[in-house]
């Protein structure tokens, strides 16, 4: 459970910078939710770049290149968990199933250094002797022995190169498998900065609606359910539970925070809404 949820919501929001507040709202809303991408997702932390509002939100040639290079980590239509939402200055990371292989500390290079067999002391001595010797017969004998030593050294180098090639292939296959198991992500890019109107759950859903199946959630219409769930709208909660016994609202930065207390058969139900969207509720005995 996030620390800010253990304290009164208003105090936690008031103590944090606006960007942190907004990221927390998005994290609380999305993380742990199961969705299904409508596109095959490449096995890389680069994921799929989306530019909401632009004439061509996705560069499909770049997308195809990443699929070809990194393989498919998440198939189209495959249910996957939203594992992290990360707000950056100019984009939002929408991470699925781990966010994609290749993040900090994960090995992405398949290269293996090649060991080169050094010249033996005998080979070095023979090379020195060859430069000093003037007798043709002795020079020929030195040269023959030197050729044998050089040939043996080249055979060792060839064995080293073969071992390195095999190790590189194993490493390449291992990294590719890790990519297929590491999830992927959507990166929502915005010009100059992520503006406040793009930082609501509904705006994120709208930006990704063409590429992600959110199930019953929609950007502009309420979700339906037989009980409370994250993402439910305030008016839906009121219709489901009846009038709140107490309610309060406050403005925290650009966010409107509402707290509603409803009577329920199981006790006191307290629900918190940010911009009219349910992000958390608790039930306690009266």
């Amino acid at each position: 459970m996030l620390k800010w949820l253990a304290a009164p919501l208003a105090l936690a929001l008031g103590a944090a910078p606006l960007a942190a507040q907004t990221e927390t709202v998005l994290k609380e809303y999305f993380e742990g939710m199961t969705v299904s991408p409508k596109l095959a997702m490449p096995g890389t932390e680069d994921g799929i770049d989306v530019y909401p509002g632009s004439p061509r939100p996705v560069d499909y040639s770049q997308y195809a290149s990443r699929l070809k290079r990194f393989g498919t980590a998440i198939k189209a239509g495959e249910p996957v968990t939203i594992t992290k939402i990360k707000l950056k200055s100019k984009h939002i990371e929408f991470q699925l199933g781990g966010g994609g292989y290749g993040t900090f500390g994960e090995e992405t290079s398949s290269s293996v250094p090649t060991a080169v067999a050094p010249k033996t002391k005998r080979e070095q001595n023979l090379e020195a002797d060859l430069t000093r010797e003037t007798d043709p017969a002795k020079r020929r004998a030195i040269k023959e022995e030197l050729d044998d030593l050089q040939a043996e050294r080249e055979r060792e180098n060839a064995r080293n190169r073969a071992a390195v090639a095999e190790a590189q292939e194993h490493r390449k296959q291992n990294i590719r498998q890790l990519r297929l198991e590491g999830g992927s992500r959507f990166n929502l890019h915005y010009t100059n900065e992520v503006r406040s109107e793009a930082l609501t759950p509904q705006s994120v859903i709208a930006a990704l609606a063409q590429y992600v199946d959110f199930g019953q959630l929609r950007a502009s219409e309420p979700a339906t359910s037989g009980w409370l769930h994250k993402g439910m709208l305030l008016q839906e909660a009121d219709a489901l539970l009846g009038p709140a016994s107490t309610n309060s609202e406050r403005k925290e930065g650009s966010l409107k925070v509402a707290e509603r207390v409803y009577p329920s058969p199981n006790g006191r139900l307290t629900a918190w809404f940010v911009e009219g969207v349910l992000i958390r509720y608790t039930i306690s005995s009266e």
Side-chain angles (χ1 to χ4, degrees):
M1 183 65 68
L2 296 172
K3 291 181 179 179
W4 74 283
L5 292 175
L9 184 63
L11 292 177
L13 287 175
L18 179 58
Q21 296 172 22
T22 307
E23 182 181 69
T24 300
V25 170
L26 294 177
K27 288 169 73 70
E28 181 64 16
Y29 182 89
F30 285 112
E31 289 182 2
M33 182 186 295
T34 298
V35 297
S36 300
K38 298 179 182 180
L39 299 172
M41 302 293 295
T44 169
E45 81 282 5
D46 293 332
I48 299 177
D49 294 321
V50 180
Y51 296 83
S54 67
R56 194 170 181 236
V58 171
D59 182 341
Y60 282 98
S61 62
Q62 180 191 68
Y63 163 68
S65 175
R66 289 177 182 173
L67 273 183
K68 183 176 181 180
R69 180 180 176 187
F70 300 112
T72 299
I74 306 169
K75 297 177 182 178
E78 179 182 349
V80 63
T81 301
I82 302 171
T83 50
K84 180 178 283 190
I85 301 294
K86 187 70 175 177
L87 175 60
K88 299 296 185 69
S89 60
K90 294 184 180 181
H91 73 278
I92 301 171
E93 294 178 2
F94 192 88
Q95 300 188 20
L96 303 173
Y101 186 81
T103 55
F104 180 76
E106 293 178 326
E107 181 61 60
T108 59
S109 173
S110 61
S111 64
V112 176
T114 303
V116 178
K119 291 181 181 181
T120 64
K121 187 65 175 177
R122 178 60 178 167
E123 186 177 353
Q124 295 174 15
N125 290 339
L126 288 172
E127 288 177 337
D129 292 343
L130 188 62
T131 61
R132 294 192 298 266
E133 186 58 62
T134 58
D135 182 85
K138 291 181 178 180
R139 283 182 58 84
R140 186 164 51 251
I142 293 172
K143 186 68 167 60
E144 287 176 357
E145 184 180 356
L146 191 57
D147 287 344
D148 288 342
L149 291 173
Q150 290 173 340
E152 177 56 35
R153 183 159 52 85
E154 178 52 37
R155 285 192 291 272
E156 184 176 350
N157 283 333
R159 289 192 293 269
N160 289 341
R161 289 193 293 270
V164 165
E166 184 177 3
Q168 286 179 332
E169 184 59 30
H170 282 306
R171 177 174 284 192
K172 185 184 299 182
Q173 292 176 3
N174 185 50
I175 291 174
R176 186 169 183 84
Q177 184 61 37
L178 290 172
R179 288 191 179 280
L180 298 182
E181 298 171 353
S184 192
R185 70 180 64 182
F186 287 95
N187 297 301
L188 295 174
H189 293 275
Y190 298 87
T191 303
N192 299 324
E193 63 179 356
V194 184
R195 300 178 64 85
S196 59
E197 58 265 26
L199 293 173
T200 65
Q202 284 70 27
S203 294
V204 173
I205 292 173
L208 290 173
Q210 186 177 346
Y211 316 106
V212 178
D213 183 357
F214 287 91
Q216 64 181 355
L217 297 179
R218 298 291 185 270
S220 58
E221 56 187 66
T224 59
S225 174
W227 185 239
L228 292 183
H229 58 84
K230 288 194 296 185
M232 177 176 279
L233 301 183
L234 190 152
Q235 56 265 38
E236 290 182 281
D238 285 345
L240 180 66
L241 300 173
S245 57
T246 64
N247 65 77
S248 62
E249 292 186 357
R250 58 184 59 80
K251 198 78 171 177
E252 300 293 343
S254 63
L255 303 175
K256 184 169 71 174
V257 180
E259 180 179 328
R260 293 280 201 274
V261 177
Y262 300 93
S264 78
N266 298 319
R268 173 189 174 97
L269 190 154
T270 305
W272 289 269
F273 300 83
V274 175
E275 294 297 326
V277 177
L278 178 65
I279 64 166
R280 176 180 174 253
Y281 69 89
T282 62
I283 299 177
S284 59
S285 57
E286 294 288 355

